[in-house]
Amino acid sequence: MHLPSSFRNCVELDQAVDSLWNKSINVNTRNVYSTGYKCFIQFCGNHITGFNSRTFNMSKVSEDLLIYFVAHCQSVLKLKYSTIKLYLAGVRFHGVNFDNVNPLCDKFGHTYQRLQNVLNGVKKSESKTLRQKLPITFKILQEIVTCLQCGFFNHDYMDLTFQTACVLAFYGFLRCNEFTCRTVFDPDSNLCVSDINFVSECEVTVNLKATKTDIFRQGIIISLFKIEGVVCPYKLLSADECKIKPKRKAE
């Protein structure tokens, strides 16, 4: 059913529709879509004889044309998969807005399968740059502790807590979730002060209630010892325990 002529002459409704359409996407997305559509029009102008952007209708866009446009973006413009997807979304947005047609689908509304396969090829051809994970060496640990001792957080308890956490994780070979809590603290699974036990003047044990390799949650005891230097786990744990324990009132 075509729109009655009376609606076409209604300026207020036209403005309301335009306003709602403009609010459907944010400004940044609109700018990217506009860039993608302009790139597509330029591509068509360079490769289609007698192309006229003013009279061009998006219903004339074929799957082959879109495939070659994707290849052009990837091989000539050196665009990444994510950018090409946005450019195609810009072409679709323009087609739906001005020509009431989705150029990325056939007449039955089905997504072009060959186009999707080519896009998958672009995605798989991109070399994934893996971020190299380097270990925290003893020298780096010393620098971290020294920095915290100088008052990095400008808060004695916070500085001491981070020193203890770093040294405990280093000497205990702990995973992050083994001595921290993700959301709400749970004393049944998270590390508590009561899990720290000073067995002698040079040895302290840490009871981990849950570890990745302890599937039955039986717990594991880690022994740490007193050493010389600023990164001594025994000294930091004892100092941290003194900070945490409440002072007894004089009787």
Side-chain angles (χ1 to χ4, degrees), residues 59-76:
S59 61
K60 299 179 181 179
V61 176
S62 65
E63 183 179 15
D64 288 328
L65 181 61
L66 293 171
I67 289 175
Y68 277 92
F69 174 64
V70 170
H72 170 77
C73 291
Q74 194 259 356
S75 60
V76 179

Side-chain angles (χ1 to χ4, degrees), residues 66-67 70-71 113-123:
L66 293 171
I67 289 175
V70 170
Q113 189 57 51
R114 288 192 298 131
L115 176 62
Q116 293 302 316
N117 291 340
V118 171
L119 285 171
N120 290 336
V122 173
K123 185 177 182 180

Side-chain angles (χ1 to χ4, degrees), residues 26-33:
N26 60 46
V27 177
N28 294 332
T29 304
R30 182 181 301 280
N31 292 336
V32 176
Y33 281 4

Side-chain angles (χ1 to χ4, degrees), residues 29 70 105 112 116 141 198 210-212 226 236 238 248:
T29 304
V70 170
C105 297
Y112 288 131
Q116 293 302 316
L141 180 65
F198 292 88
T211 64
K212 184 178 180 180
K226 182 184 292 186
L236 287 172
S238 59
R248 294 182 179 179

Side-chain angles (χ1 to χ4, degrees), residues 5-126:
S5 58
S6 58
F7 284 105
R8 298 176 183 175
N9 298 325
C10 185
V11 179
E12 292 182 0
L13 287 180
D14 286 341
Q15 292 176 347
V17 171
D18 291 339
S19 176
L20 293 173
W21 180 262
N22 291 331
K23 292 178 180 178
S24 64
I25 57 176
N26 60 46
V27 177
N28 294 332
T29 304
R30 182 181 301 280
N31 292 336
V32 176
Y33 281 4
S34 177
T35 302
Y37 175 72
K38 290 178 181 178
C39 181
F40 177 73
I41 291 299
Q42 184 178 5
F43 169 78
C44 293
N46 293 337
H47 295 85
I48 300 177
T49 305
F51 176 81
N52 188 340
S53 59
R54 295 182 179 180
T55 59
F56 182 71
N57 191 288
M58 298 299 285
S59 61
K60 299 179 181 179
V61 176
S62 65
E63 183 179 15
D64 288 328
L65 181 61
L66 293 171
I67 289 175
Y68 277 92
F69 174 64
V70 170
H72 170 77
C73 291
Q74 194 259 356
S75 60
V76 179
L77 302 182
K78 307 299 181 183
L79 299 179
K80 293 186 176 297
Y81 169 80
S82 57
T83 305
I84 297 175
K85 287 279 289 184
L86 286 173
Y87 277 21
L88 288 176
V91 174
R92 179 187 60 203
F93 184 80
H94 185 91
V96 172
N97 185 18
F98 294 98
D99 299 323
N100 196 26
V101 60
N102 183 357
L104 305 187
C105 297
D106 59 21
K107 60 181 180 180
F108 301 106
H110 300 149
T111 304
Y112 288 131
Q113 189 57 51
R114 288 192 298 131
L115 176 62
Q116 293 302 316
N117 291 340
V118 171
L119 285 171
N120 290 336
V122 173
K123 185 177 182 180
K124 292 182 179 180
S125 65
E126 292 182 355

